[in-house]
Amino acid sequence: MLDPLLIVELGVLGLATGFLAGLLGIGGGMLLVPFMTYILGGQQVAPDLAVKMAIATSMATIMFTSVSSVRAHHKRGAVRWDIVKRLAPGIVLGGFIASLGVFALLKGSFLAIFFALFVSFSATQMFLDKKPAPTRQMPGGGGQVAAGGVIGFLSGLVGAGGGFVSVPFMTWCNVPIHNAVATSAALGFPIALANVVGYVLGGQSVAGLPTASLGYVWLPALAVIATCSVLTAPLGAKAAHSLPVKQLKRVFASLLFGLAAYMLWKGIAAL
């Protein structure tokens, strides 16, 4: 049984990440991973394993938040389903390769540092708000499958729904920010599903997992966070359509900078 205070903490975290999933199209993973790393450390999970479990559990919650937020975006006609169909095959393949193969081989400290550096780069690109060439468009079918593979692979290494890559990529290709956020939310489900299957299979024989774990996924936290996050994801999606483009990008970038700094500190401390 979880401590009542821990249940409250996980519930608040779920409410916050659900709102951010709808608002920014990032699946909540950028917020969940640092906090879940801290919480699992308090449950006496080894630091290296805590990072991996935080990434896997975060990804599992995205299966629920993405469905909730994308329904709200779809009602507004904001999801570019043509892009979803082309990116999804590559996303599934890239995510499965990352979560089942590469993830198990890497140390948690390396994953934490990689998380911090890559997210910082993504945040910088968003914060600078560079304008893409007006003639640039989304690549063809093959190019989008390849881009999906990169998005799925990177998402599997850091436990996020891919929005930190797919939103900047789509805006770079002149997809309007609100459409990019909505489409990223729709991509969250195939990203999460492919990666979670890999985390569960890859973590079957790992020692030191806490009770009620399914591979690297900590089920009690998943249940609480997912239940709460689906309540607020539609509210975030609604707010996303009322904010100006530049403000939305700055909110996205500022959030990522703070979380990247925390995970960099955790990764260096674990070396």
Side-chain angles (χ1 to χ4, degrees), residues 193-237:
L193 182 61
N195 279 297
V196 168
V197 170
Y199 296 141
V200 170
L201 295 176
Q204 289 299 309
S205 59
V206 174
L209 293 170
T211 56
S213 296
L214 184 61
Y216 287 109
V217 179
W218 191 30
L219 295 177
L222 170 61
V224 176
I225 292 173
T227 299
C228 295
S229 64
V230 297
L231 300 176
T232 53
L235 300 178

Side-chain angles (χ1 to χ4, degrees), residues 67-114:
V67 172
S68 181
S69 62
V70 78
R71 288 179 62 189
H73 283 298
H74 177 67
K75 289 179 180 178
R76 294 175 175 268
V79 180
R80 286 283 303 274
W81 290 108
D82 58 319
I83 296 176
V84 173
K85 292 176 181 177
R86 291 181 178 178
L87 290 178
I91 278 173
V92 171
L93 179 60
F96 198 66
I97 291 172
S99 59
L100 183 57
V102 179
F103 186 81
L105 299 175
L106 297 177
K107 291 184 177 181
S109 56
F110 174 83
L111 290 170
I113 294 172
F114 179 78

